Every structure is written in structure tokens, then in C-alpha cells.
Amino acid sequence: MNLKRSIINGSLARAKHVIEHFGLKLPPFGYWNVADWDKAGVEYDEIRNCLLGWDVTDFGSKDFHKIGRTLFTLRNGRKGIAGYPKEYAEKLLIDPEGQRAPAHYHLSKREDLICVAGGNILVQLRKADREGNASSEAFTIQVDGCERRLQAGDIIRLKPGMSVCVPPRTIHQFWGEEGTGYQVDGVGYTLSSEVSSVCDDYNDNVFLVDYAVRFPEIEEDEPKDCYLCHEYPKATSYETK
């Protein structure tokens, strides 16, 4: 079963509610609908080409509420692509308790994971060995600039305001801690953010499960409320909104 558009629409509605609850604001295009994008000109190509905006995925798990993610990419660059020289990226992530991405690491991206508001974020970490498998070796990590020595598979608890730096080739999974977030329909929600080097979702992610895909097929069981970051229509003219 593919990820349903109804699940995407519902997740986006809850995400906007949670963001508003914590007093945060998205850039204007974070509130655009399909019609807004259909008339947006080439002056918005950085948003299109750098995959800025809404991103909802189940990573091919067929179980979005357990293995999935809803996030908004605020800024990003493109490696080796003229016109997009930014060397950094920033994302805002919505973390329902228990939901997580598959365990994965990045070949080159270094990221700071920051607990922004709501409850706590639990982060499980281990290093990847030369073959890309989970290592059993102890390693060092930085939490709020403080060095910590961890055993493979240790879990760090990030309270609001805390952060951990995740270097390349560090396997990580994180999720909102049960019972600590802002309650919506019986589920606790926490906001986290990711500040990193350029994010290349097509070439830099290594998942430790066979089924994982970054952008899954979508079942169109209802009309889309807005385009996801990999769905934008191409612009053929310059038209200022």
C-alpha cells in the first residue's frame, strides 16, 4: 500500500497546528496551496530546485505512524549546481511520540539535531563501520558542545533547548519521547530542527533497512492540499505573486 494523500493532508494540517501552537512562523510559501504554486514563476526556482518546503514520507515502510516523517525545509543548497552556493541547510521537524525515520547515516552531511519545543527528543546513536554496517565500538559525540563518550546504541535525551551534533557516518534514529509533548488527539508532539551542511536526499542517505526510499509512491485517494517539495510544477515564465 502506497502512502495515501489523505494521510499527507492530515499530517500537514496537524503540523501547521503544532507550529502555530508553539508560536513559530513559516515563510510565506509554507502556506501556499496548489493554485498558488501553479501560477508561481521561475523566480521561485530555488525553492523548487533545492527541495524547500513540505516533506511527508513513510520511507516505503507502509506504516507512516510508526516509520515516517513530516518536516519543512527552510533553506538548502545544491552541491555542484551553479546558482545555489549555500553550504548549509535548515529543517523544522514535527515529532509525534513514537514515530521515527529508519536508522540511517549520511555519507557527507554533518547535522545538529536541536530539540526546539514541546517534549523531549530521544536520539539513538552508533557508528557505521567501513562496510556501512552498525559498529559495536564506543565513540565520542558532542551534546551542547560538551564531549560525551557513548556505547553503541546508547540513547541521548534532548530536552527543549538541547542539541547533539551528528557527524557523517553516524547511524541515528530519533523520536518524541512518549508522554512529554503537546497533546493533539491523544498524541504528544515535539518540534525539533536540523541545522546541517547541504542536504542531498538523493545521494547522501544510507538506510539500514532494505525497503527504505526517500520519496515513496503516493496513492491519490483525495485531492492534494499543497505540493510536497519533490512535486512542484515547473515554471515557464517570470510572474511575481
Side-chain angles (χ1 to χ4, degrees), residues 34-185:
V34 168
D36 293 323
W37 269 112
D38 286 345
K39 63 185 179 183
V42 296
E43 66 271 30
Y44 295 101
D45 274 354
E46 180 172 340
I47 299 173
R48 296 181 178 95
N49 294 335
C50 294
L51 298 181
L52 308 187
W54 286 111
D55 184 351
V56 182
T57 178
D58 68 355
F59 300 96
S61 70
K62 316 302 183 185
D63 189 357
F64 171 77
H65 298 291
K66 182 177 179 180
I67 302 293
R69 186 70 78 210
T70 300
L71 60 96
F72 189 93
T73 301
L74 293 152
R75 57 204 98 250
N76 197 14
R78 286 286 299 274
K79 289 184 178 181
I81 305 297
Y84 303 114
K86 293 176 183 176
E87 298 180 350
Y88 53 85
E90 181 184 6
K91 299 180 179 183
L92 184 64
L93 302 100
I94 291 79
D95 300 300
E97 56 188 15
Q99 186 191 59
R100 63 194 72 186
H104 65 286
Y105 65 89
H106 305 292
L107 296 172
S108 64
K109 185 173 76 170
R110 181 182 303 271
E111 63 188 86
D112 274 19
L113 177 63
I114 307 151
C115 185
V116 174
N120 304 326
I121 296 293
L122 300 179
V123 188
Q124 187 171 43
L125 299 163
R126 52 177 59 85
K127 298 298 288 187
D129 62 21
R130 291 185 178 182
E131 289 72 39
N133 301 313
S135 171
S136 60
E137 298 296 322
F139 60 101
T140 299
I141 209 83
Q142 278 71 39
V143 178
D144 295 329
C146 177
E147 186 174 288
R148 288 195 190 181
R149 191 69 175 167
L150 300 182
Q151 300 299 315
D154 277 356
I155 294 176
I156 293 174
R157 176 179 284 104
L158 299 180
K159 298 180 180 179
M162 295 179 65
S163 66
V164 60
C165 179
V166 182
R169 300 189 66 84
T170 302
I171 300 167
H172 52 289
Q173 264 190 317
F174 62 93
W175 58 94
E177 184 176 11
E178 186 173 355
T180 67
Y182 166 60
Q183 293 288 314
V184 180
D185 298 328

Side-chain angles (χ1 to χ4, degrees), residues 13 20 22 95 117-118 132 149 152 155-156 163 165 186 193-194 225-226 232:
E20 182 178 4
F22 289 118
D95 300 300
R149 191 69 175 167
I155 294 176
I156 293 174
S163 66
C165 179
S193 67
E194 177 192 300
D225 290 340
C226 70
Y232 298 130

